[in-house]
Amino acid sequence: QVQLVESGGGLVQAGGSLRLSCAASGRTFSDYAMGWFRQAPGKEREFVASINWSGASTVYADSVKGRFTISRDNAKSAVYLQMNSLKPEDTAVYYCAAGSMSIWYKMYDYWGQGTQVTVSS
């Protein structure tokens, strides 16, 4: 089992920045690829970014490429999502997940509770 706890969400104006963190506990953190997903009200869960076990490989959704950066610190069992140039359409609950590196949410076995990000125009 892996337990995941997100933090860092909040309210920010368009153009601003936020850094999300996800703290993991339980099984060996470096055994897993990590992903960030988001879900806005009335919409399906959407892939945001993923990172492999070592941090050497990352994948981003086209909608966030160039604005968001995913990173991890295996010594701290944590994964981060630096979000810059935020837009109102980035408003959603953001979830971190542990599993196999994929843009498909079903490839992730463990999920956090989510953290709300609201971007005002």
Side-chain angles (χ1 to χ4, degrees):
Q1 289 283 341
V2 176
Q3 292 78 43
L4 302 171
V5 179
E6 302 97 335
S7 62
L11 174 64
V12 64
Q13 288 188 330
S17 298
L18 282 175
R19 187 191 192 214
L20 304 184
S21 299
C22 174
S25 60
R27 295 185 64 178
T28 305
F29 179 69
S30 58
D31 283 349
Y32 299 93
M34 299 297 296
W36 285 98
F37 290 77
R38 66 187 182 186
Q39 189 165 19
K43 294 189 176 182
E44 294 186 352
R45 190 171 352 190
E46 176 188 22
F47 169 77
V48 175
S50 63
I51 188 167
N52 77 328
W53 71 273
S54 69
S57 178
T58 57
V59 177
Y60 295 93
D62 286 344
S63 59
V64 307
K65 202 172 293 183
R67 299 188 299 123
F68 290 11
T69 303
I70 188 171
S71 62
R72 67 188 294 162
D73 185 337
N74 287 343
K76 295 183 178 180
S77 297
V79 63
Y80 308 99
L81 186 68
Q82 178 66 44
M83 305 187 295
N84 299 329
S85 302
L86 282 161
K87 304 175 181 180
E89 51 263 44
D90 294 318
T91 295
V93 177
Y94 283 70
Y95 300 90
C96 71
S100 299
M101 190 164 178
S102 175
I103 65 172
W104 192 33
Y105 73 92
K106 288 191 176 182
M107 296 301 290
Y108 294 84
D109 303 308
Y110 304 101
W111 293 82
Q113 294 298 309
T115 186
Q116 176 71 47
V117 171
T118 303
V119 184
S120 63
S121 57

